[in-house]
Amino acid sequence: MLEIKNLKASVDGKDILKGLNISIKPGELHAIMGPNGSGKSTLANVLSGKEGYKISGELKYEGKNLQEIPIEERAQKGIFLAFQYPTEIPGVNTSNFLRTSLNKIRKAKGKKELDALSFIRIIKEKSNELGMDEKMLSRQLNVGFSGGEKKKNEILQMKILEPNLIILDETDSGLDIDALKIVAEGVNSSRSDKKSFLVITHYQRLLNFINPDFVHILSNGKIIKSGSMKLAEDLEKTGYKGIK
Amino acid sequence: MLNFKINSNAIEKIGNFNAKEKEFRLKNLDSFNKNGFPNKKSEDWKFSDLREIVSKNFKKLDLKVVKTDAQKIKFIQEFDHNYIIVTNGELTSSNFKFEEKNKIKVQNYLNNNFINKQENNPLINLNHALSDKGYFLEVEENYKLKKILVIYNLYTNNLNQNILNCKNKIKIGKNSELHILEYTINRSKKNFFNNIYENVVLEQSAIYKNICIYNEKSFGYFHKYSSNKLDTKSSSTFFIFPSGLKFNKLDLEFDLNGENSECNLQAASYLNHDDHQEIKTRINHFAPNCKSFQKVKNVLDSESKGIYQGKIFVKDIAQKTDAYQLSKAILLNDDSEFNSKPELEIYADDVKCSHGSSSGSIDEDSIFYLMSRGLNRQEAIKLLVEGFLSEITNEIKSNSIKNFIIGKLEEQLHEHKKN
């Protein structure tokens, strides 16, 4: 699904990723943990196509060179990034935005666009699953949402857009334990042998609920250790300093 | 440079006037001829050099407009309304089928106020000297119109290097209420200049709501001065969606003369190509306990230019004034330009006055967020622009009218994509 070899990324002449390797197969859930400034968010941004980075190395998504695919086409081809800090967009109605987005992606896949009524049925069902207040959907996109509401809104989008490769960028940070469980449940219920996940996080907390297949430690722009869930548990005891 | 001086016999050609009126017109013509079209040396015109704009785009300015036959227009179907039709500034038809007839007066307007106040604006002088058309609309006391009044401002396709000078007056009696949609249909394919002088008088506790929109892009060069006088407890609300003209300057003045009167002015524009648009306001707080609110939003594309000059004046006796003013602009192109000049002049000491102004390019993080959800860059920008302007449209209370306006604004944005 995703093949990254010797990925280097710099911004304004500052090296952030310094030769990162990772390979994610369909159905797998990989967790990347790392201290502040290790390059976690840069990895998420590079994968979703954010501009401003100088990139070298090999980035392959479903066998194709990811760097040649424009941002919106990455989304249309099934890459989804749940933002660490979802942007507030004044004046844009959440539900209308979701429908526009879904229909863009459906159209790109050659599917029929959804009419308003069928869309409402889907969005109601999915938002109920996440314990979201329906009123939120008629509000302006992320404007005045609490931290937890913003993250739930990201997970709602993930559920509705049905992507193949899902990158969660510190979706767990800022969540209380109930919201964390709901987000984890959202991830678990979306897992299938066709979908892959890359979960970026600081803490083991979220991983306790979602059971990653692989855990990687990112430090200073490189993956310095890979392992199973056990690695995350060790990390919780020793801290990043204890991992060498 | 176009030498635009007008011979005094132009006044005689308009009509036979009594000595008082003739003197009034001649005096104003003198003032105009002395100053000509204002240029950027004048503070009020520093961002809109009208002399240069007129010289560049007009070879002549013909006062005489050839009359046309009655023209068909497409009436708005989306909501019930009363209407008047104003063709090239002249009242040509009216229909108040939803109202009690004796409560509303509508007729051709003739000025009967010849006070020689020194005008600083040459365009007002020009209008005082040469105005020969317009309407007068009056709502009697204690009458609330049941339906909105649509004023269809029609400009015909035989306008060519003409200048129109129109004078309109609206008077709303005590405890009465009037809602107006000014809807401009412009069929002219050639340049013409439209110079409007408007006088709005609100008596005690009168309510006036005005929504103004231009239906399509046109070659009109418009200047409108509007004087609004508000008596005790009266209120006036303006929603202005002014884009679509080559040049448009709205000079709006509000005199809050009576206690507890209030005015609310909100504008949203999308400017494109070489559109040039200025909104200039002056809110005069002349009495205590009055409120004023202004919010102006502009989106500028291509080489368009937008200007907002907003002044709040608070007289010494106008204590407990509550005045608010905000201007926000998004520039989509390096060649577009936005100028904002907020001014406060306050002589009372117990007032709440705030103003803010911001302009900048569109937020790249927002574009990225939307693109990461499958929208291309252009679609993302369009959604953001609509969202930015919708803050104003969402304030319109009537759903049918709001949806009508949103539809019109979407057409304007869509035009931009086509071009």
Side-chain angles (χ1 to χ4, degrees):
Chain A
M1 173 85 59
L2 183 71
E3 201 73 43
I4 303 175
K5 276 185 197 154
N6 197 25
L7 174 65
K8 290 178 184 166
S10 63
V11 64
D12 298 331
K14 193 174 169 252
D15 296 332
I16 299 175
L17 297 179
K18 301 169 182 170
L20 186 139
N21 297 297
I22 196 168
S23 167
I24 301 177
K25 295 193 176 61
E28 291 178 352
L29 192 152
H30 290 238
I32 290 193
M33 303 181 74
N36 293 322
S38 56
K40 301 192 300 294
S41 287
T42 298
L43 175 62
N45 287 340
V46 166
L47 290 176
S48 57
K50 189 164 186 168
E51 281 162 19
Y53 295 97
K54 216 178 140 206
I55 300 166
S56 70
E58 200 178 292
L59 262 176
K60 277 199 166 144
Y61 171 67
E62 289 178 337
K64 292 191 190 86
N65 181 0
L66 193 57
Q67 288 187 69
E68 287 168 4
I69 308 176
I71 306 170
E72 71 269 26
E73 280 180 32
R74 295 185 194 198
Q76 291 162 4
K77 287 179 163 48
I79 297 181
F80 179 86
L81 167 67
F83 281 62
Q84 184 181 2
Y85 303 110
T87 316
E88 296 193 5
I89 306 204
V92 175
N93 174 286
T94 303
S95 170
N96 289 350
F97 155 70
L98 279 172
R99 192 170 145 224
T100 309
S101 168
L102 176 60
N103 278 336
K104 289 298 296 181
I105 287 169
R106 284 179 70 94
K107 215 173 146 188
K109 286 182 183 162
K111 288 189 191 168
K112 232 179 88 191
E113 292 188 25
L114 279 185
D115 59 64
L117 234 66
S118 352
F119 175 73
I120 285 171
R121 218 176 300 129
I122 293 178
I123 195 174
K124 274 195 172 167
E125 183 199 319
K126 304 279 183 193
S127 59
N128 279 336
E129 280 174 25
L130 293 167
M132 287 168 74
D133 188 350
E134 273 176 34
K135 278 187 208 126
M136 236 175 84
L137 301 170
S138 55
R139 281 163 57 186
Q140 300 174 46
L141 185 54
N142 292 327
V143 177
F145 284 24
S146 71
E149 283 173 330
K150 280 182 186 168
K151 297 295 174 77
K152 278 187 192 173
N153 192 28
E154 295 291 290
I155 298 299
L156 175 68
Q157 292 173 44
M158 175 194 90
K159 299 211 93 166
I160 286 175
L161 302 179
E162 297 186 331
N164 302 326
L165 173 65
I166 296 143
I167 305 150
L168 303 179
D169 186 8
E170 295 194 29
T171 302
D172 52 337
S173 60
L175 290 185
D176 62 42
I177 192 74
D178 295 327
L180 188 74
K181 279 184 183 165
I182 289 171
V183 165
E185 183 46 42
V187 172
N188 290 334
S189 62
S190 301
R191 285 197 69 174
S192 77
D193 53 6
K194 290 194 185 69
K195 280 186 202 294
S196 308
F197 287 81
L198 181 63
V199 178
I200 295 170
T201 180
H202 273 296
Y203 310 107
Q204 183 209 339
R205 238 171 32 146
L206 176 67
L207 304 184
N208 288 339
F209 297 109
I210 58 173
N211 260 320
D213 301 309
F214 300 93
V215 175
H216 311 276
I217 312 285
L218 181 68
S219 176
N220 197 20
K222 273 185 182 171
I223 286 178
I224 54 164
K225 203 160 189 175
S226 296
S228 65
M229 183 60 192
K230 171 100 177 21
L231 181 59
E233 285 159 10
D234 293 346
L235 185 67
E236 198 74 5
K237 287 181 205 131
T238 61
Y240 288 109
K241 277 185 189 154
I243 305 284
K244 283 277 176 305
Chain B
M1 274 268 183
L2 170 75
N3 181 16
F4 191 67
K5 289 226 190 304
I6 298 162
N7 196 300
S8 59
N9 67 19
I11 294 172
E12 281 153 31
K13 281 188 198 157
I14 300 171
N16 283 321
F17 302 108
N18 62 37
K20 213 172 159 192
E21 177 160 8
K22 201 166 174 187
E23 193 203 329
F24 172 80
R25 287 181 180 263
L26 278 169
K27 256 196 162 149
N28 276 290
L29 190 65
D30 268 356
S31 294
F32 177 78
N33 280 338
K34 219 175 344 175
N35 298 310
F37 280 103
N39 64 8
K40 63 184 172 205
K41 283 182 197 148
S42 154
E43 183 64 23
D44 284 347
W45 295 86
K46 73 191 241 188
F47 303 112
S48 300
D49 193 326
L50 191 59
R51 192 177 300 176
E52 194 190 306
I53 291 167
V54 169
S55 300
K56 229 158 95 183
N57 297 289
F58 289 89
K59 289 198 182 64
K60 58 170 187 173
L61 281 166
D62 205 337
L63 288 162
K64 198 161 172 55
V65 178
V66 181
K67 287 245 182 205
T68 49
D69 300 335
Q71 302 220 346
K72 277 205 175 124
I73 57 166
K74 219 172 119 199
F75 287 101
I76 294 167
Q77 301 297 326
E78 283 84 346
F79 46 87
D80 287 340
H81 59 276
N82 305 290
Y83 67 85
I84 66 176
I85 302 175
V86 180
T87 310
N88 297 336
E90 206 156 333
L91 178 68
T92 44
S93 153
S94 70
N95 186 324
F96 285 89
K97 62 181 169 193
F98 296 101
E99 312 301 334
E100 292 173 35
K101 297 286 174 301
N102 58 347
K103 301 290 185 188
I104 299 150
K105 208 194 286 174
V106 59
Q107 62 187 52
N108 280 309
Y109 180 54
L110 291 165
N111 189 20
N112 55 11
N113 178 8
F114 305 121
I115 301 162
N116 263 313
K117 183 180 137 204
Q118 183 58 42
E119 295 291 352
N120 294 322
N121 183 345
L123 274 298
I124 296 179
N125 289 133
L126 185 65
N127 188 289
H128 283 342
L130 299 172
S131 66
D132 55 353
K133 45 188 149 292
Y135 56 84
F136 173 56
L137 177 70
E138 183 176 3
V139 182
E140 296 281 317
E141 288 185 3
N142 301 309
Y143 185 72
K144 291 184 184 352
L145 270 81
K146 293 176 183 71
K147 298 284 178 195
I148 191 167
L149 166 66
V150 176
I151 299 179
Y152 291 96
N153 285 306
L154 172 68
Y155 297 97
T156 55
N157 61 7
N158 62 330
L159 292 172
N160 183 9
Q161 307 270 323
N162 287 108
I163 179 164
L164 310 172
N165 287 287
C166 319
K167 222 182 207 85
N168 304 324
K169 182 169 180 172
I170 295 171
K171 188 175 165 192
I172 306 174
K174 204 170 144 184
N175 298 320
S176 291
E177 182 166 350
L178 172 68
H179 297 196
I180 283 181
L181 171 67
E182 285 191 60
Y183 184 61
T184 296
I185 303 167
N186 202 335
R187 292 182 184 151
S188 152
K189 298 280 175 280
K190 304 267 170 60
N191 292 358
F192 74 100
F193 199 99
N194 189 22
N195 183 26
I196 303 173
Y197 179 93
E198 180 184 78
N199 198 347
V200 180
V201 176
L202 305 190
E203 292 186 344
Q204 236 178 62
S205 304
I207 296 171
Y208 178 46
K209 292 193 178 174
N210 178 302
I211 300 172
C212 161
I213 190 159
Y214 301 86
N215 188 38
E216 58 241 311
K217 285 238 159 245
S218 84
F219 293 93
Y221 291 71
F222 280 36
H223 170 266
K224 178 179 183 173
Y225 170 77
S226 174
S227 151
N228 296 262
K229 299 199 186 310
L230 285 83
D231 203 341
T232 310
K233 287 186 181 161
S234 64
S235 102
S236 106
T237 307
F238 276 74
F239 286 101
I240 313 171
F241 306 100
S243 21
L245 295 167
K246 282 292 201 194
F247 173 85
N248 193 14
K249 176 159 176 166
L250 293 167
D251 184 345
L252 311 170
E253 187 159 358
F254 294 82
D255 293 343
L256 300 168
N257 291 325
E259 248 187 273
N260 294 304
S261 57
E262 56 181 79
C263 81
N264 183 315
L265 185 142
Q266 305 200 49
S269 313
Y270 170 75
L271 303 177
N272 197 6
H273 305 298
D274 55 351
D275 295 354
H276 181 125
Q277 180 175 291
E278 170 166 349
I279 296 175
K280 176 177 171 283
T281 63
R282 185 184 165 108
I283 317 273
N284 296 313
H285 283 261
F286 288 150
N289 293 307
C290 294
K291 249 176 145 170
S292 67
F293 180 92
Q294 300 175 72
K295 192 181 268 182
V296 175
K297 297 191 116 181
N298 280 283
V299 176
L300 300 110
D301 206 345
S302 306
E303 291 162 39
S304 62
K305 182 172 176 178
I307 299 119
Y308 172 61
Q309 301 199 68
K311 178 160 185 170
I312 299 169
F313 175 89
V314 183
K315 202 178 167 183
D316 53 0
I317 61 158
Q319 300 294 1
K320 304 282 179 197
T321 286
D322 183 353
Y324 177 87
Q325 183 198 82
L326 181 69
S327 159
K328 280 188 172 183
I330 290 180
L331 291 97
L332 296 177
N333 193 303
D334 288 346
D335 295 324
S336 57
E337 178 182 330
F338 185 73
N339 299 281
S340 164
K341 193 179 87 177
E343 279 180 285
L344 301 176
E345 190 176 335
I346 303 168
Y347 297 99
D349 52 17
D350 185 12
V351 300
K352 200 170 109 187
C353 285
S354 50
H355 69 93
S357 174
S358 70
S359 51
S361 53
I362 202 156
D363 180 39
E364 281 297 329
D365 284 341
S366 301
I367 295 176
F368 175 61
Y369 187 79
L370 296 176
M371 287 178 76
S372 79
R373 298 302 184 251
L375 281 74
N376 67 33
R377 191 175 170 85
Q378 211 171 17
E379 289 161 340
I381 290 173
K382 185 165 175 275
L383 199 63
L384 291 169
V385 165
E386 281 171 1
F388 177 77
L389 297 177
S390 74
E391 199 196 343
I392 305 291
T393 44
N394 283 337
E395 291 292 313
I396 299 173
K397 288 209 175 71
S398 152
N399 273 331
S400 53
I401 296 169
K402 175 170 37 189
N403 291 335
F404 176 76
I405 297 290
I406 289 172
K408 288 285 162 201
L409 287 182
E410 272 175 14
E411 278 173 29
Q412 288 178 7
L413 282 172
H414 189 69
E415 278 298 306
H416 128 82
K417 272 182 83 178
K418 270 199 319 209
N419 288 328

